[in-house]
């Protein structure tokens, strides 16, 4: 097959599984090594450059990096990447002096950001240091979007949120809080050079068609509205028996919040089977730990109201059937409907976008589902100068996605405002250098520990259930942080192969603990994969193939379970293998001027 | 700083019939120079034992002194081992073998260990037809003592230090055939495809199975004037045939031409299948083989593959009619059969 062993940033980027899976491409192993070295401030800054909210994300991120982590392929559990991020935030020093300088003299361009969530804040973070005058609009009294209105304080303390949000607001951002933008048309006429829409997906889905919904209305709440009311101190208690409908993370936050507001018998009842639920496994665990049963395969049928009082709900029992394409169907089991008592019910079955304030005759096109038509990479709308990002752009996701899209939108806005085409994007910044320091000595800790994942300690339930603001997770202490950091396999220290140096002694193939390397005859990729010492069946992982060596064979390395232990390079007599640090940073707005 | 092999292994590592993976046949991490041919031979031994479904505790690995003789530490950690004195592995192996014929004996030696100080031991082990797989990791020098010419160094080769070798080399394969070894093969550490089936066949052979494996010393004998370097061996390697080791007789599936395939059955019912045989090559014809070795020397070729096999060789325990029971299992009753038996024996001299 085609040679893939030459130095190629795209190839190596993919090898760093966690960073590749992170929407913002945070250089994960780099900050984990800094944590192990006790350099928390630097670890924080690497995060801050990429994901803007390390303290917030270190507690709340959806962590797509962890299922991707290579360690999960050689043992049970991936590295606790997310909670290590929190360590950097918890133990950093003062960082004020490391912040970019915000010049008094501006570049003459004015930008409006509508919505004050993580997407808009990221755009503000990227553009303010470049001299843009930024105006931030939000209908709430403070910035933060759903990070403030939805994520409960027992997962994300207000102080952590304030610190990271205020850091950006202090970049001279003009704040227009308690201001609901009700007309895009008037925004377009207000003299902004570009407008960014980061209004999220603010409408919670309802079950309006179910019998009894209207009669029960005072005791049935939309989950995200209810959570916002709790967060802004409008609601302080709930009935003793609570049913939460839905199986996503919102449902988990609703039920856990209900437990803290007086709910004693709180249940989550969900249509899908337990394993198909949208909520992350750890969110489900945390809910169950707080004595909240999750009842699956139950489809809501009706609200039961007697004499004007809510009594409970009926559910139809179903079971899941999957067709050959893996599509699911919920088939009624035929059992009689199940009744569950409730004093109050929270509906947490999803969110929708809604843009009642954007007039449809402005040139901003919407699709048949009422979503704006957005360029998937540039985050531009069909009206030049109007950009979208976060939940408002491509539907509800999570904070880190909102951040990643904010970065891209900021690049687009910067290009747009300087009259450059949106496709002229600055390239990623890549740096590579050898890790070799001696015969068996590397500038990273190449030893592979077998320690299983360290658990993050939690405050006692008897305390946390009494105070909705008391943070449940306590975070790692420095000792367990170090040990957990040591579990990282350093996937960004790349195995770099130089064909011309190899004398085909087989030493690397013989030593490799995970049988990654094979010297064999060349062939088409699919066939070659099957001929390796251990066949390379995980096709999501690339194979590195050299050019023809002296004997005509090729070197093939399966990236799948390489431990980055460096033994191949240690055993190579000719340094045909080298271990090289590979630092990959996605481009940020403004970097185009330097290239 | 690492000099530790990670404990993790490939999650899809194949298992053999005993449920063991290759990992179960490995040894400690090697301390030889990076790129040493000996390490490749160790890896080939691991693979061969894995594929042969050998129970590790049924193997005794014995060696003398040298980098090559250190290698038993780097494979088969679960087997018995004896690292003897320089050149004395054959005596220790003979003693162990006489004490217990239940084990598979694997002797590992170097060209210095066998062709110089241990030559006397080496020739007598062959002469006695010791039932052992005897591997010489041949690098043409004394690696461990920093690369002095050994007795297998070729005449005229230029050492790394600059001098020319003025002595003729001892051809260990020719010598082994001359002395009556029943299985003689030559291979190259860098050719596992050939080496692994050869080791498997040698370990399945009853009698003295000799394997001379050219194994470059990357540190002291891999220079451009060397005749034991990776490059030189690859350029001068004359492969006599391809070879498969087949545990149980099966149909020939690959479409080889009739006259280029030859099958040899071993005593345990396994087969050696030679294919792509060189024109007129017959490893059961001793005289032809000796002839070919002489010609190869003259033309600077290195013959590799199964050179010679004599399937009728009688191993030592049969020659001396040794009991099958290991010494440590012989009961007092068996060893001291009593007055009645003694009388019978005495009577036989009457
Ligand atoms: C209950 C719940 C829990 C969640 N937990 C997590 C979690 O643990 N981890 C995670 O990564 N994600 C989580 N999410 C998702 C996450 O909060 C969102 O994906 C993310 O906040 C989206 O960011 P955004 O910037 O696009 O918009 P948002 O954060 O939604 O911010 C939009 C802001 O715009 C304001 N706004 C809307 N329209 C207007 C208007 N016309 N004028 C002025 N202001 C307006 C809104 O009030 C809001 O303040 C959770 C979501 C919910 C509902
Ligand atoms: C009785 C005795 N004499 C000499 C030595 C020194 N000595 C150690 S190893 C060795 C030569 C080993 O050469 P070889 O068997 O070819 O092994 P290699 O290191 O090349 O693999 C010698 C002479 C010794 N250890 N013992
Ligand atoms: S770094 Fe080299 S030796 Fe270690 S697992 Fe990866 S390929 Fe194998
Ligand atoms: S150890 Fe080095 S020289 Fe030997 S085969 Fe591997 S890459 Fe080639
Ligand atoms: S000195 Fe030569 S024989 Fe000994 S380990 Fe090093 S390369 Fe191998
Ligand atoms: Mg030697």
């Amino acid at each position: 097959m085609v040679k893939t062993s030459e130095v190629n940033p795209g190839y190596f980027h993919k090898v760093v599984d966690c960073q590749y899976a992170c929407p913002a491409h945070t250089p994960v192993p780099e900050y984990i090594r800094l944590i192990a070295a006790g350099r928390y401030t630097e670890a924080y800054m690497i995060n801050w450059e990429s994901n803007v909210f390390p303290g917030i994300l270190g507690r709340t991120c959806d962590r797509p990096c962890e299922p991707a982590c290579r360690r999960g392929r050689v043992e049970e559990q991936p590295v606790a990447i997310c909670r290590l991020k929190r360590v950097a935030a918890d133990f950093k020093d003062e960082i004020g002096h490391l912040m970019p300088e915000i010049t008094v003299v501006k570049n003459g361009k004015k930008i409006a950001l509508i919505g004050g969530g993580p997407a808009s804040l990221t755009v503000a973070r990227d553009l303010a240091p470049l001299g843009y005058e930024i105006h931030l609009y939000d209908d709430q009294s403070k910035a933060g979007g759903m990070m403030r209105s939805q994520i409960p304080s027992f997962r994300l303390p207000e102080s952590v949120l304030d610190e990271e949000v205020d850091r950006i607001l202090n970049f001279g951002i003009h704040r227009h809080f308690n201001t609901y933008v009700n007309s895009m048309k008037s925004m377009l006429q207000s003299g902004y050079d570009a407008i960014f829409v980061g209004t999220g997906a603010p409408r919670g889905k309802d079950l309006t068609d179910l019998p009894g919904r209207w009669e029960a209305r005072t005791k049935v709440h939309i989950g995200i509205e209810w959570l916002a009311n709790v967060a802004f101190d409008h609601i302080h208690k709930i009935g003793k028996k609570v049913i939460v409908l839905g199986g996503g993370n919102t449902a988990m936050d609703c039920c856990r919040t209900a437990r803290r507001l007086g709910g004693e018998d709180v249940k989550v009842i969900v249509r899908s089977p337990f394993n198909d639920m949208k909520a992350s496994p750890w969110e489900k665990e945390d809910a169950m730990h707080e004595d909240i049963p999750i009842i699956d395969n139950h489809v809501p049928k009706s609200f039961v109201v007697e004499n004007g009082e809510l009594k409970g709900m009926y559910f139809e029992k179903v079971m899941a059937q999957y067709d050959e394409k893996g599509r699911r169907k919920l088939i009624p089991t035929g059992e009689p409907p199940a009744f569950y008592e409730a004093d109050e019910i929270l509906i947490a079955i999803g969110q929708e976008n809604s843009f009642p304030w954007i007039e449809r005759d402005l040139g901003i096109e919407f699709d048949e589902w009422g979503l704006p038509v957005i360029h998937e990479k540039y985050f531009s709308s069909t009206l030049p100068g109007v950009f979208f990002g976060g939940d408002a752009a491509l539907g509800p996701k999570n904070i880190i996605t909102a951040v990643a899209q904010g970065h891209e939108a900021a690049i687009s806005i910067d290009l747009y405002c300087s009259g450059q085409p949106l496709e002229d994007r600055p390239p990623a910044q890549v740096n590579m250098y050898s890790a070799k320091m001696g015969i068996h000595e590397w500038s990273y800790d190449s030893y592979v520990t077998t320690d299983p994942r360290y658990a993050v300690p939690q405050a006692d339930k008897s305390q946390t259930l009494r105070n909705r603001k008391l943070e449940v997770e306590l975070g790692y202490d420095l000792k367990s942080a170090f040990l957990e950091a040591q579990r990282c396999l350093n996937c960004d220290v790349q195995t770099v192969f130089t064909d011309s140096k190899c004398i085909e002694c087989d030493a690397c193939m013989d030593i490799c603990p995970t049988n990654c390397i094979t010297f064999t005859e060349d062939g088409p990729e699919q066939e070659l994969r099957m001929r390796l010492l251990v066949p390379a069946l995980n096709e999501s992982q690339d194979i590195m193939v050299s050019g023809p060596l002296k004997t005509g064979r090729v070197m093939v390395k399966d990236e799948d379970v390489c431990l980055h232990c460096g033994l191949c390079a240690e055993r190579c007599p000719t340094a045909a293998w080298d271990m090289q640090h590979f630092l990959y940073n996605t481009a940020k707005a403004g970097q185009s001027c330097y290239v | 700083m690492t000099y530790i092999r990670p404990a993790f292994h490939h999650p899809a590592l194949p298992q053999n019939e005993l449920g063991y993976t290759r990992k179960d046949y490995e040894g400690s991490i090697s301390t030889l120079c990076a790129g040493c041919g000996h390490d490749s031979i160790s890896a080939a031994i691991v693979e061969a034992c894995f594929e042969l479904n050998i129970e590790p505790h049924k193997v005794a690995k014995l060696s003398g002194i040298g980098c090559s003789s250190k290698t038993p530490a780097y494979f088969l950690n679960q087997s018995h081992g004896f690292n003897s004195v320089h050149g004395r592995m054959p005596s220790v192996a003979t003693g162990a073998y006489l004490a217990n014929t239940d084990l598979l004996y694997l002797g590992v030696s170097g060209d210095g260990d066998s062709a110089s100080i241990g030559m006397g031991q080496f020739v007598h082990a062959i002469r006695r037809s010791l039932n052992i797989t005897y591997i010489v990791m041949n690098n043409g020098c004394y690696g461990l003592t920093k690369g002095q010419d050994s007795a297998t160094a070729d005449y005229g080769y230029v050492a790394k230090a600059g001098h020319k070798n003025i002595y003729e080399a001892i051809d260990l394969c020719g010598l082994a055939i001359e002395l009556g070894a029943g299985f003689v093969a030559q291979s190259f550490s860098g050719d596992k495809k050939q080496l692994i089936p050869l080791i498997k066949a040698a370990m399945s052979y009853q009698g003295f199975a000799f394997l001379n494996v050219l194994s470059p010393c990357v540190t002291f004998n891999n220079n451009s004037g060397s005749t034991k370097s990776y490059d030189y061996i690859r350029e001068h390697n004359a492969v006599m045939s391809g070879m498969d080791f087949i545990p149980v007789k099966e149909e020939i599936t690959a479409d080889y031409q009739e006259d280029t395939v030859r099958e040899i059955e071993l005593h345990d019912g396994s087969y050696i299948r030679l294919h792509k045989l060189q024109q007129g090559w017959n490893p059961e014809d001793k005289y032809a083989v000796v002839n070919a070795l002489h010609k190869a020397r003259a033309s600077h070729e290195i013959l590799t593959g199964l050179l010679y096999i004599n399937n009728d060789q009688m191993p030592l325990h049969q020659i001396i009619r040794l009991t099958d029971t290991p010494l440590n299992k012989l009961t007092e009753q068996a060893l001291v059969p009593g007055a009645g038996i003694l009388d019978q024996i005495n009577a036989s001299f009457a």
Side-chain angles (χ1 to χ4, degrees):
Chain A
M1 62 180 272
V2 189
K3 169 170 166 164
T4 55
S5 66
E6 64 254 308
V7 170
N8 170 356
Y11 183 92
F12 289 137
H13 179 32
K14 214 178 146 194
V15 169
V16 194
D17 292 303
C18 46
Q19 181 177 18
Y20 191 69
C22 173
H25 301 310
T26 305
V28 173
E30 181 78 6
Y31 83 68
I32 292 185
R33 270 194 304 278
L34 287 167
I35 289 172
R39 291 157 66 183
Y40 310 110
T41 305
E42 286 155 273
Y44 184 86
M45 288 309 292
I46 290 216
N47 272 290
W48 187 78
E49 303 276 348
S50 311
N51 56 50
V52 193
F53 304 106
I56 296 170
L57 287 166
R59 293 166 166 84
T60 62
C61 189
D62 258 356
R63 19 172 157 156
C65 52
E66 291 192 19
C69 172
R70 175 180 305 263
R71 188 145 183 128
R73 298 198 294 273
V74 288
E75 63 137 319
E76 309 232 319
Q77 296 262 27
V79 176
I81 299 169
C82 180
R83 293 318 188 242
L84 285 171
K85 195 190 308 295
R86 171 175 171 177
V87 169
D90 285 357
F91 295 97
K92 67 180 184 306
D93 297 325
E94 180 44 48
I95 57 163
H97 62 290
L98 298 171
M99 288 297 118
E101 194 193 339
I102 307 298
T103 52
V104 187
V105 184
K106 298 293 170 192
N107 70 358
K109 306 279 182 189
K110 253 173 79 174
I111 314 292
L113 311 177
I114 307 175
S120 290
L121 290 170
T122 301
V123 178
R125 202 285 303 261
D126 287 358
L127 295 185
L130 302 180
Y132 287 88
E133 182 184 319
I134 311 277
H135 291 260
L136 180 70
Y137 292 85
D138 198 288
D139 56 350
Q140 296 177 6
S141 56
K142 284 175 129 185
M146 286 195 167
M147 302 192 294
R148 190 179 297 281
S149 65
Q150 298 297 313
I151 303 182
S153 301
F154 58 83
R155 287 207 288 126
L156 174 60
E158 213 175 344
S159 57
V160 176
L161 179 65
D162 286 345
E163 178 193 322
E164 290 183 337
V165 169
D166 290 349
R167 189 173 292 136
I168 298 169
L169 295 179
N170 291 339
F171 286 179
I173 310 298
H174 299 263
R175 306 156 199 200
H176 306 265
F177 293 154
N178 298 312
T179 309
Y180 181 79
V181 174
N182 54 20
S183 164
M184 179 59 118
K185 194 168 180 180
S186 62
M187 285 302 281
L188 288 170
Q189 291 162 352
S190 306
Y192 290 109
D193 293 281
I195 294 176
F196 175 79
V197 181
T199 50
R203 196 155 70 193
K205 289 189 190 154
D206 200 347
L207 291 168
T208 34
D209 294 343
L210 281 199
R213 172 69 179 93
W214 175 252
E215 292 77 1
R217 65 190 177 281
T218 57
K219 296 288 181 189
V220 177
H221 317 281
I222 301 298
I224 64 166
E225 288 169 9
W226 183 78
L227 284 171
N229 280 323
V230 173
F232 291 110
D233 271 326
H234 303 317
I235 288 181
H236 300 101
K237 58 176 192 296
I238 196 165
K240 285 200 162 67
K241 291 183 189 143
V242 180
I243 292 178
V244 176
L245 301 174
N249 287 339
T250 305
M252 299 304 118
D253 282 341
C254 283
C255 67
R256 295 179 69 194
T257 303
R259 282 287 276 138
R260 286 157 172 81
L261 297 197
E264 285 170 8
D265 169 9
V266 180
K267 298 183 179 70
V268 171
I269 305 187
V270 53
R271 302 172 51 188
S272 60
F274 185 83
N275 289 329
D276 290 5
M277 285 169 62
K278 287 219 180 85
S280 326
W282 53 88
E283 303 260 347
K284 293 195 273 188
E285 268 168 37
D286 287 343
M288 292 186 298
H289 174 69
E290 292 175 358
D291 313 312
I292 300 164
I294 296 177
I295 299 165
D296 63 350
N297 294 319
H298 277 61
V299 177
K301 278 198 84 169
S302 61
F303 297 90
V304 180
V305 182
E306 280 170 20
N307 304 325
E309 211 180 306
L310 177 68
K311 291 288 172 195
M313 272 193 95
Y314 272 113
F315 294 87
E316 180 173 49
K317 290 197 194 176
V318 292
M319 52 190 202
Q321 264 181 14
Y322 302 85
D323 65 13
E324 65 288 348
K325 281 190 186 135
R327 276 175 311 206
R328 191 187 73 195
K329 242 191 181 165
L330 295 175
I331 314 281
T333 61
E335 289 165 81
F339 177 77
Y340 288 95
E341 288 181 42
D343 301 328
E344 279 185 78
I345 292 172
L346 301 173
I347 303 179
I349 55 170
Q351 286 157 256
E352 290 168 324
N353 293 69
S354 92
F355 301 96
W357 55 279
I358 301 183
E359 295 82 351
R360 301 297 143 121
D361 58 354
L362 304 171
I364 302 175
E365 249 179 69
F366 284 80
D367 65 16
E368 48 188 308
W369 298 283
L371 290 172
V373 176
I374 304 295
H375 189 288
E376 279 191 17
K377 284 200 182 112
Y378 309 157
F379 295 93
S380 48
S381 70
T382 50
L383 182 65
V386 176
F387 301 85
F388 283 70
D391 287 358
L394 304 172
K397 296 244 164 48
N398 48 38
I399 302 169
I400 189 66
T401 305
V403 168
Q405 296 179 353
H407 283 314
E408 288 305 322
I411 292 174
S412 296
I413 293 170
D414 187 38
L415 290 169
Y416 175 78
C417 288
S418 49
Q420 296 177 62
L422 298 187
E423 53 273 20
D424 279 4
R425 309 183 86 72
Q429 301 200 330
V430 175
N431 191 5
M432 271 190 104
Y433 57 97
S434 177
K436 196 169 182 76
M437 292 179 63
I439 296 182
H440 301 300
E441 220 178 339
W442 303 102
S443 57
Y444 71 107
D445 213 342
S446 59
Y447 171 71
V448 179
T449 161
T450 52
D451 288 6
R453 182 172 169 129
Y454 288 84
V456 178
Q458 295 200 343
D460 198 75
K461 197 158 66 171
S462 59
Q463 303 290 312
T464 57
L465 287 183
R466 260 194 252 142
N467 176 357
R468 77 165 173 93
K469 296 199 171 179
L470 189 67
E471 190 173 15
V472 171
E473 285 199 10
L474 302 173
Y476 284 127
D477 60 19
L478 286 184
K479 182 165 178 255
S480 29
F482 170 76
L483 293 170
E484 183 61 30
Q486 288 298 87
R487 295 179 70 241
C488 172
L489 294 171
N490 300 288
C491 300
D492 62 340
V493 183
Q494 304 279 351
T495 57
V496 179
F497 185 77
T498 310
D499 304 5
S500 59
K501 287 188 180 169
C502 176
I503 58 168
E504 295 176 69
C505 69
D506 287 358
C508 52
M509 169 165 95
D510 295 339
I511 196 73
C512 176
T514 41
N515 302 95
C516 303
I517 302 171
T518 308
F519 288 83
T520 186
E521 284 70 40
D522 200 357
E525 172 163 358
Q526 287 312 312
E527 183 259 346
L528 195 54
R529 279 177 172 269
M530 296 311 296
R531 259 196 291 120
L532 305 187
L533 230 48
V534 180
L537 302 178
N538 180 357
E539 295 200 12
S540 68
Q541 291 284 317
D542 286 340
I543 56 176
M544 179 192 275
V545 181
S546 74
L549 303 172
K550 261 194 189 160
T551 61
R553 299 181 303 173
V554 288
M555 184 290 303
V556 189
K557 182 199 164 203
D558 180 9
E559 299 290 354
D560 190 17
V561 290
C562 169
L563 303 171
H564 296 258
C565 66
L567 282 181
C568 48
E570 286 183 20
R571 295 306 295 179
C572 180
T574 62
W577 283 113
D578 189 25
M579 304 304 291
Q580 294 192 10
H581 285 277
F582 171 79
L583 188 59
Y584 181 98
N585 272 305
T586 50
K588 300 286 163 346
Q591 283 170 347
S592 40
C593 346
Y594 312 129
V595 293
Chain B
M1 162 98 183
T2 35
Y3 212 63
I4 309 163
R5 192 168 16 204
F8 291 132
H9 56 77
H10 198 297
L13 212 53
Q15 293 186 344
N16 65 12
E17 285 170 15
L18 301 174
Y20 293 132
T21 66
R22 284 186 201 104
K23 284 253 159 190
D24 298 308
Y25 295 87
E26 283 177 355
S28 313
I29 195 163
S30 168
T31 59
L32 301 184
C33 302
C36 176
H38 299 353
D39 280 335
S40 289
I41 305 176
S42 298
I45 293 171
V46 166
E47 182 66 29
C49 292
F50 164 78
E51 288 177 17
L52 280 177
N53 301 301
I54 287 175
E55 292 178 279
H57 69 276
K58 288 284 199 174
V59 179
K61 39 179 194 171
L62 306 108
S63 64
I65 296 290
C67 297
S68 36
S69 293
K70 283 172 72 178
T71 61
Y74 315 137
F75 55 80
L76 297 178
N77 247 6
Q78 322 287 327
S79 301
H80 308 276
F82 198 112
N83 193 190
S84 78
V85 274
H86 203 13
R88 269 57 176 176
M89 177 268 282
S91 325
V92 177
T94 309
Y97 178 70
L98 293 179
N100 186 351
T101 53
D102 253 7
L103 301 179
L104 260 173
Y105 288 87
L106 180 59
V108 175
S109 181
D111 43 324
D113 196 61
S114 282
S116 292
I117 192 168
M119 181 56 105
Q121 302 244 328
F122 175 63
V123 295
H124 287 285
I126 300 175
R127 183 177 146 266
R128 290 180 179 140
S129 192
L130 187 60
N131 196 4
I132 190 173
T133 298
Y134 194 112
I135 298 179
V136 168
M137 302 182 174
N138 189 342
N139 54 15
C141 68
Y142 298 170
L144 191 70
T145 51
K146 297 203 177 328
Q148 300 83 351
D149 294 346
S150 79
T152 63
D154 290 305
Y155 175 82
Y157 105 95
V158 184
K160 192 178 178 186
H163 68 269
K164 245 188 185 166
N165 180 26
I166 50 173
Y167 302 113
E168 281 292 344
I170 293 176
D171 178 2
L172 289 174
C173 285
L175 186 69
I177 293 170
E178 174 64 32
L179 292 166
F183 181 111
V184 178
Q186 188 147 265
S187 191
F188 167 42
S189 64
D191 184 1
K192 286 212 182 67
K193 252 193 180 159
Q194 182 188 57
L195 183 56
I196 292 166
L198 276 177
I199 296 174
K200 284 161 75 178
M203 292 186 77
S204 307
Y205 179 80
Q206 286 280 315
F208 194 90
F210 178 63
L211 263 164
N212 184 40
V213 188
L214 296 165
S215 174
C217 170
V218 275
T219 303
F220 299 113
N221 201 3
N222 197 37
N223 49 301
S224 57
S226 166
T227 55
K228 299 271 192 292
S229 65
Y230 281 102
D231 284 349
Y232 185 94
I233 299 169
R234 286 205 167 101
E235 272 159 36
H236 295 79
N237 188 351
V239 180
M240 300 321 289
S241 72
M243 178 175 152
D244 295 321
F245 176 80
I246 304 153
V248 197
K249 173 91 174 158
E250 54 180 48
E251 282 298 302
I252 297 182
T253 44
D255 54 312
Y256 300 123
Q257 285 191 315
E258 286 270 332
D259 57 340
T260 65
V261 184
R262 189 184 187 95
E263 288 188 336
I264 301 160
E265 186 176 358
L266 300 179
H267 283 287
D268 63 359
S270 56
Y271 274 79
I272 296 170
R273 179 175 297 152
L274 304 172
H275 50 83
K276 295 188 212 133
L277 265 184
Q278 287 289 314
Q279 194 69 45
W281 179 250
N282 175 6
E284 291 180 283
D285 179 348
K286 192 175 197 168
Y287 307 110
V289 176
V290 172
N291 222 349
L293 280 170
H294 281 290
K295 279 193 189 147
R297 178 187 283 232
S299 59
H300 304 290
E301 281 190 316
I302 303 165
L303 303 189
T304 62
L306 177 65
L307 299 183
Y308 175 64
I309 184 163
N310 168 13
N311 230 344
D312 300 324
Q313 207 200 31
M314 202 183 258
L316 178 61
H317 64 280
Q318 285 175 14
I319 299 174
I320 62 174
R321 295 183 26 227
L322 194 65
T323 168
D324 285 340
T325 318
L327 268 188
N328 63 358
K329 294 221 174 92
L330 282 177
T331 56
E332 197 178 328
Q333 209 196 345
L335 289 169
V336 188
I341 302 282
L342 185 64
D343 288 344
Q344 274 178 31
I345 294 172
N346 282 339
S348 73
F349 296 117

